[in-house]
Amino acid sequence: MPKVLLVGESPTHIQWGHLIQTLRNFGIEVAQAYATSKNADVQTPAGAFASGSPDLRNYFRTYDAVFVVERQPWIYQDGVRAAVRWLGWNNPEDAPIVYFGYNLSTYVNEHNGELPSGFPLIRINPTNLANTAALADGGAAFAYNIFSRHGTPITLLRENATLYTPTVCAWATSGGNAQFAYWRYNPTLHSALASQTYTHRVAPNERAGEVLAVPANLPPDGDTYPTNTAVAYRYYNCFFLPAVSRGGYQPVQPIVPQGSPVHDVFWLIYALKLCGILPAWRVPLQFETDHPLQLETSIPSLTEYDRMRIKRDVYDWWRGFCRQTGLVVINGVQVGSRDRSLLSSFHWRLINYPNPDVRAVAQQIHQILVAGHREGTLPCGVHDHSINDTRGWGARSEMANFKRHINPNSRYGAPNDVPIRHGACCIAKHVAPNGIPSSAIETTIGSDTFYEWDFTGRTSGTEQTINPMPMQNIHAARVVIESEIDEMLAMGFPDGHCGEHRYTNTAANNSGGIAYWQAAKEMGFRALRSSYCVNEHFTPSTPGARNQTASLNYIWEGLHLIPHSGLDISTTSATWGLYDPSSPSNGDAVKLFELDSTNNDITGQWSTNRHAAAWRAHRRALCRLTGDWLSINVAYLGAAYIHPVSCWYGCNPDTPVARFDSENILNANGQPHWN
């Protein structure tokens, strides 16, 4: 198993939990060390070593790589100062050392006299930024509480690939705001290194110096960078990469908390590649939607027919994309409207919609989903907002006028008279006395089996409506889940658990607790998307208060409970797209993600230079979204999901899957098309 040593400035001033969990997800053994200054000993699992000693160097050689995680702005003097002494440890047997966002500022006095004479990266001088730093976004400042650097497109020179990912090499804070920058290098020193022969496993070009990444400068939004800008650089076997997991202290813990993704986790993964570390395990990449077929409030000028067309064309494109890439997109189909809910926005109602034009397109979407489910590109699972005040499984102790499915050939549908709560007598099978009535039934929950009898007043009767329906027991859970699967089968899906994945994204992420987990296992599921807060609400009268959570490892009796994070670009009922001056608060990506700078370099230029402002918004939004998506997958091992109504309505309905092209393609509101 590969081994990596993480080195930080102190035991607490680093988000150990995020980084350790991410590396462990790849099957990499991780250890921690720290040093508070260049003269202090480096504290390691093997004991304390002098910062520049041969013993420490030999200890480093027992690892496949050493990752130095810095987090200090260029106006600070503290950090992992001891690491500057390791720049000369670059013999073939030395372990590669990666410096993430390392503070090379002239304010750091402990660096004076320590950098090798041929070291090419220029130390950032806070009093002379114009000549020592490559300031991002023209030096614009952002609110410091926004820890995800929104980003400039980056070109990886080895791979000749351009990508959008949150990226920052250095930064400073002032008055609650932050400036971001990339490094600059001395061209003469770099040229000498690039001409010098150097043999090490991490130097495939066998040269001592290499620029690894530069700003792509793709969008015409006014961003220009000096020709000697480096987003990432290799100096012998030492890599200087952008920062990872910035902001806030995070103790060691097994699970990354909701709302704290490692936005720039890409650079951690890329460091593994640069160091030649092959992960022991693969990490799956996936994506999800909630409510693939839904009709909700629209932005102005977008008809119901337009909204349906957008979904149809996007899912048709997405199905082809999944075929090409192997990506799997899970879709939570809103069930319950056949038997319980009269809402016209749910799946069953839309494929039977009164308006024939809307109904025809809805049925096309449905057929794309059914076909995608059967071939494994767009698998679909039950997602039921029709029960428990829309909160889903187990959110309330009982529900009035619950309507189950009508299917005499099923086990729990009407007119079958079935238990809906536990019997008056219930005893574990392994301690049951003699004389158990012959009418007793066996109920299994987890690894335990129980005998239950005396169900008088605790059965459904033969009617479809059950009033009230107790919701928090294994018998009710079986009725609920079977009714949902029955509806999926009636709509042409072969199952309700996403085919071979045997998974679904439960409504409101409420996985219901042990009763629903047991019933789901019995009906073919092996994983559910689940909330992982202690309680979704704290007041017992509030829906969700009884949401039972999983253990820390998110496994119950072999059933996996998957953590989650949403990627919607709007919190309103429907998105207005990338940016629209008329949209409500948090109604578009710029407002929701706070992509604007403190001097309003997007919103302030929308009316005077919209072409540049729109490209600027576009690249920042993509960097934010791709960073979040990747981190949710590889750091959480979780589910990244969107609601199409909150993401897809800001596009041109006639060309909804066209690439962004600023003012050349407009949406229904006359704003730049963006999906």
Side-chain angles (χ1 to χ4, degrees):
M1 180 176 287
K3 295 172 57 179
V4 169
L5 180 69
L6 290 181
V7 182
E9 62 195 79
S10 77
T12 57
H13 290 194
I14 181 175
Q15 291 184 343
W16 292 116
H18 293 86
L19 305 181
I20 291 172
Q21 188 61 41
T22 301
L23 292 172
R24 286 176 176 170
N25 290 342
F26 283 103
I28 294 171
E29 184 179 333
V30 186
Q32 304 168 57
Y34 67 92
T36 56
S37 73
K38 74 177 183 181
N39 295 316
D41 286 347
V42 179
Q43 305 296 323
T44 78
F49 297 99
S51 61
S53 66
D55 289 340
L56 179 63
R57 186 176 187 178
N58 289 330
Y59 177 70
F60 281 179
R61 290 174 177 175
T62 65
Y63 289 89
D64 294 284
V66 176
F67 288 177
V68 179
V69 184
E70 179 67 273
R71 62 175 304 276
Q72 296 297 352
W74 63 59
I75 58 175
Y76 283 22
Q77 297 185 31
D78 52 354
V80 192
R81 305 282 71 85
V84 74
R85 290 181 168 170
W86 309 334
L87 290 175
W89 294 356
N90 45 46
N91 290 342
E93 65 270 25
D94 284 320
I97 301 175
V98 181
Y99 296 79
F100 291 104
Y102 195 65
N103 185 6
L104 292 170
S105 168
T106 57
Y107 274 32
V108 184
N109 294 327
E110 287 184 89
H111 284 344
N112 297 341
E114 295 288 351
L115 292 170
S117 59
F119 185 70
L121 295 185
I122 297 171
R123 293 179 67 183
I124 293 178
N125 185 345
T127 64
N128 186 19
L129 292 175
N131 294 310
T132 60
L135 290 172
D137 300 289
F142 291 84
Y144 186 58
N145 64 339
I146 306 302
F147 293 126
S148 61
R149 161 73 180 115
H150 304 307
T152 295
I154 300 303
T155 296
L156 301 176
L157 297 182
R158 282 189 184 180
E159 293 79 6
N160 190 28
T162 296
L163 66 150
Y164 291 80
T165 189
T167 302
V168 56
C169 297
W171 68 97
T173 58
S174 177
N177 299 320
Q179 284 181 296
F180 303 104
Y182 307 121
W183 289 301
R184 295 177 66 175
Y185 58 86
N186 182 309
T188 301
L189 295 178
H190 166 63
S191 179
L193 290 166
S195 301
Q196 178 182 341
T197 300
Y198 174 66
T199 301
H200 196 285
R201 63 182 174 86
V202 300
N205 64 353
E206 297 187 341
R207 293 294 181 267
E210 181 183 8
V211 178
L212 297 168
V214 296
N217 286 330
L218 287 180
D221 61 358
D223 274 5
T224 57
Y225 294 91
T227 56
N228 62 334
T229 297
V231 172
Y233 192 91
R234 178 179 60 80
Y235 173 74
Y236 292 96
N237 69 330
C238 298
F239 296 94
F240 285 81
L241 300 185
V244 294
S245 193
R246 302 176 310 281
Y249 299 155
Q250 186 62 54
V252 178
Q253 56 183 7
I255 298 297
V256 180
Q258 184 179 6
S260 302
V262 189
H263 299 281
D264 37 24
V265 70
F266 167 80
W267 294 107
L268 187 70
I269 301 171
Y270 191 54
L272 298 176
K273 179 180 181 181
L274 292 172
C275 293
I277 298 175
L278 184 65
W281 303 328
R282 292 185 177 186
V283 174
L285 295 179
Q286 60 94 256
F287 205 85
E288 300 186 8
T289 76
D290 287 6
H291 322 161
L293 187 56
Q294 180 182 17
L295 194 60
E296 290 289 359
T297 303
S298 173
I299 60 175
S301 306
L302 202 57
T303 65
E304 290 182 345
Y305 180 66
D306 286 339
R307 282 174 272 159
M308 285 292 106
R309 287 197 300 145
I310 289 170
K311 289 191 178 71
R312 177 197 61 196
D313 292 352
V314 172
Y315 274 108
D316 186 56
W317 176 88
W318 219 344
R319 183 183 172 198
F321 180 79
C322 290
R323 285 172 167 173
Q324 295 170 4
T325 63
L327 181 71
V328 171
V329 177
I330 298 292
N331 301 279
V333 173
Q334 289 192 97
V335 291
S337 60
R338 180 192 65 169
D339 300 315
R340 288 180 287 282
S341 174
L342 297 178
L343 290 176
S344 61
S345 64
F346 282 22
H347 202 105
W348 179 276
R349 299 284 173 168
L350 286 174
I351 61 177
N352 295 283
Y353 203 62
N355 183 313
D357 294 331
V358 174
R359 180 175 67 247
V361 183
Q363 289 176 347
Q364 290 175 334
I365 299 169
H366 175 71
Q367 291 305 320
I368 291 172
L369 292 170
V370 172
H373 180 110
R374 291 180 179 275
E375 71 186 10
T377 53
L378 301 174
C380 298
V382 297
H383 185 101
D384 195 346
H385 282 290
S386 72
I387 59 176
N388 290 320
D389 300 308
T390 78
R391 301 305 299 174
W393 294 351
R396 281 197 181 279
S397 58
E398 65 179 30
M399 179 178 174
N401 297 312
F402 173 85
K403 286 189 176 182
R404 56 178 169 154
H405 51 306
I406 300 176
N407 185 345
N409 296 318
S410 68
R411 187 171 181 180
Y412 301 106
N416 297 308
D417 187 11
V418 298
I420 56 173
R421 66 174 62 176
H422 291 293
C425 299
C426 181
I427 189 168
K429 184 177 181 180
H430 68 280
V431 295
N434 295 326
I436 297 296
S438 59
S439 60
I441 64 172
E442 289 190 8
T443 300
T444 300
I445 301 180
S447 56
D448 296 317
T449 301
F450 300 86
Y451 285 123
E452 291 186 73
W453 65 95
D454 191 2
F455 286 95
T456 304
R458 292 174 170 83
T459 60
S460 63
T462 59
E463 301 299 320
Q464 181 184 21
T465 300
I466 304 171
N467 187 33
M469 172 73 160
M471 301 302 291
Q472 292 186 298
N473 66 82
I474 181 63
H475 304 295
R478 289 165 175 159
V479 174
V480 169
I481 297 178
E482 188 186 81
S483 74
E484 296 164 347
I485 294 175
D486 188 79
E487 184 176 336
M488 293 286 286
L489 297 176
M491 291 190 291
F493 293 100
D495 56 71
H497 50 54
C498 295
E500 65 177 338
H501 303 288
R502 297 187 173 273
Y503 165 82
T504 200
N505 40 23
T506 54
N509 299 310
N510 191 337
S511 60
I514 290 176
Y516 285 83
W517 305 341
Q518 176 69 39
K521 279 186 61 180
E522 293 172 356
M523 297 183 189
F525 291 84
R526 64 183 182 190
L528 303 170
R529 196 175 76 199
S530 176
S531 175
Y532 46 96
C533 45
V534 175
N535 280 307
E536 211 161 287
H537 301 284
F538 297 100
T539 305
S541 61
T542 305
R546 296 176 177 84
N547 181 22
Q548 187 170 356
T549 58
S551 61
L552 282 177
N553 65 2
Y554 290 93
I555 299 176
W556 176 84
E557 297 283 344
L559 182 79
H560 290 251
L561 297 146
I562 309 299
H564 63 92
S565 189
L567 290 179
D568 288 343
I569 62 170
S570 169
T571 57
T572 61
S573 58
T575 183
W576 293 56
L578 181 62
Y579 174 70
D580 191 317
S582 301
S583 76
S585 176
N586 294 338
D588 57 56
V590 168
K591 294 175 183 175
L592 180 65
F593 295 148
E594 301 181 58
L595 304 181
D596 218 4
S597 68
T598 56
N599 64 347
N600 302 318
D601 64 355
I602 293 176
T603 62
Q605 297 184 27
W606 203 256
S607 60
T608 58
N609 190 10
R610 190 171 71 173
H611 186 64
W615 275 106
R616 192 171 298 130
H618 169 72
R619 65 176 172 81
R620 290 178 187 171
L622 280 188
C623 284
R624 168 65 185 256
L625 288 165
T626 54
D628 284 4
W629 171 66
L630 188 60
S631 71
I632 292 163
N633 275 259
V634 304
Y636 288 2
L637 293 183
Y641 70 98
I642 63 166
H643 298 81
V645 297
S646 298
C647 296
W648 292 354
Y649 288 170
C651 64
N652 183 299
D654 294 323
T655 57
V657 298
R659 289 181 178 270
F660 174 79
D661 198 14
S662 187
E663 295 181 287
N664 294 321
I665 305 177
L666 301 179
N667 64 22
N669 283 3
Q671 301 297 327
H673 149 98
W674 199 72
N675 185 330

